[in-house]
Amino acid sequence: MNKEYDIIVVGAGPAGSMAARFAAERGVSVLMLEKDRDVGYPVRCGEAISKAGVEEFIQSDDKWIASRISKFSFNAPDGTEVIIEFGEAGYVLERRIFDYELARTAAEAGADILTRAYVNGLLFDSDGKVSGVKYEYNGEQKEIKSKIVIAADGVESRVGRWAGLKTHIDFRDMESAVQITAANIPVDQNTLYFYFGKDVAPNGYFWIFPKGHNKANIGLGVSGIIGKKKSAQSFLDDFMNKHYPNAPVLTKIAGGVPCSVTLDKISGPGIMLVGDAARQVNPLSGGGIASGMIGGSIAGRIAAEAIKMNKLEHILTYDKAWHDRLGKRHETFNRIKEGIYNFSDEKFNSIAHSVLKIPIEKRTLGKVFTTALMNNPSLLLDIAKVFVI
Amino acid sequence: MSDSEIKYRMAKTGKLMIEILPDRCDYCGCCVGVCPEDAIELKEAEIFIIDPRCTNCAKCVWSCPIEVIKFNKEGVQAH
Ligand SMILES: Cc1cc2nc3c(=O)[nH]c(=O)nc-3n(C[C@H](O)[C@H](O)[C@H](O)COP(=O)(O)OP(=O)(O)OC[C@H]3O[C@@H](n4cnc5c(N)ncnc54)[C@H](O)[C@@H]3O)c2cc1C
Ligand code: SF4
Ligand code: SF4
């Protein structure tokens, strides 16, 4: 380890690893700190990702692909199932290995990595610019300086707040989730299953994502508004008792998905935020692996450029670069989310019924959307509402 | 937050009402993410509320997916 670094990355999830790698590849010195003893563990994730989302950053590899996805199954509250087929569209990952591999690519690019290092404060220089971190390691309080700190500290992010950015997430936008990995779940191993309706997952969806050999990730998230009355845990218990009362549970985890638009400001003097810490999750799907890697890669590149140009203000261009690449799209997704997740059970049912009339080989997501509209004109108003504001 | 603000909040709420049940937490971070006051410290497998910062707003209670945080009207002992 050096005494000082150009860039310190806090958190070794997908966003942190990509920030570290994209910076280190440009020849600057990088240290990534992770509080947990293992990179990639515990896994708090459904692990579904599109193939394109992976392959922008790392070549697909069987050792971290648990299953290959070619179909979506949407299930309406009355039990109507709508299946949409794709080519090979995505994967369910083995994230424990995937995150490890991502961190390895950062290390190969030259980044130093230290686990069991809990960051608990920031250092500032005399004009208030962030200039390093304070951390606890082996029970000792330490400090290390850097020109730039990249906060990749996930949903529980605090680093950004210490730097003076407004980062806490509105409790209504936090999807508090619980998920089990269960065995003996006899679903199609190439299909992602989504369940809608107020009994299973109000304001969101319930998922079953296959992990091969009839193992599956099963879970849901609920907004704090729902959580006031009924926790994610109770919804999951109800679903399992009803559908798979005897399934052996291999793991159970809690986790949070910040389902909102990106924070107003994701950079400041000496500080950049990436991944869940910046709220870069796709607010419609709740997917944050691919978008976190994208955010991390942009931040890592811009941070390295800033160091090499010796012009630290350059990091402030990150906000716009992110907005142009994905942030703007997430604003649209967020409006759609607010429309769809407020649909009544009857509405979900009637959409499912009209979509079923499209022959399966012609069912693309776009066609499903337009046909649902034509067969169900009252929907137009809802969709219009979604797009207008 | 300044010292006087902390004192104001303590005076306003009187006592601590938020409690994290020890041993049942999964260290997932939902509560930390929603806490407006930066009042929760979460290490790898250790969690506690930074009492003087907490305003008893209960947002963490509503956001805990596994019902590990409790709101107690009568007040709770500081851990
Ligand atoms: C139940 C659930 C299901 C999900 N399903 C999917 C899915 O199917 N597909 C998908 O794309 N996304 C999914 N997501 C979202 C996805 O998991 C996250 O968006 C993604 O992990 C974000 O990556 P990240 O690098 O920003 O943060 P993380 O992966 O959370 O990494 C943050 C890291 O920072 C470390 N850290 C935090 N604080 C500190 C500190 N003070 N000091 C040092 N280290 C620190 C943490 O230990 C952690 O390792 C799901 C999330 C949940 C909770
Ligand atoms: S009650 Fe409010 S202020 Fe106190 S820890 Fe919970 S979220 Fe934070
Ligand atoms: S939300 Fe609940 S389970 Fe998660 S860290 Fe907070 S207290 Fe623990």
Side-chain angles (χ1 to χ4, degrees), chain A residues 44 118 158 161 176 231 254, chain B residues 26 32-33 35 38 41 63 67:
Chain A
R44 301 186 190 282
Y118 174 64
R158 297 170 69 208
R161 304 190 204 200
S176 299
S231 67
Chain B
D26 197 42
V32 185
C35 175
D38 194 20
E41 188 81 31
S63 299
E67 301 173 38

Side-chain angles (χ1 to χ4, degrees), chain A residues 349-364:
Chain A
N349 292 336
S350 78
I351 298 171
H353 297 160
S354 14
V355 170
L356 269 190
K357 295 185 191 132
I358 313 171
I360 187 155
E361 65 281 3
K362 293 199 177 142
R363 264 182 231 159
T364 60

Side-chain angles (χ1 to χ4, degrees), chain A residues 55-71:
Chain A
E55 291 189 341
E56 182 172 344
F57 296 101
I58 187 166
Q59 218 171 357
S60 293
D61 189 332
D62 279 336
K63 76 178 168 224
W64 41 255
I65 296 175
S67 65
R68 293 168 185 271
I69 298 305
S70 55
K71 279 179 266 176

Side-chain angles (χ1 to χ4, degrees), chain A residues 74-82 196-197 340 343-358 367-383:
Chain A
F74 294 107
N75 295 270
D78 67 0
T80 308
E81 182 185 29
V82 172
F196 297 87
I340 292 181
F343 282 175
S344 66
D345 281 8
E346 293 68 39
K347 188 129 287 169
F348 277 122
N349 292 336
S350 78
I351 298 171
H353 297 160
S354 14
V355 170
L356 269 190
K357 295 185 191 132
I358 313 171
K367 245 208 186 94
V368 163
F369 204 58
T370 40
T371 315
L373 276 180
M374 295 196 322
N375 286 305
N376 195 342
S378 68
L379 252 185
L380 262 176
L381 219 95
D382 294 310
I383 304 287

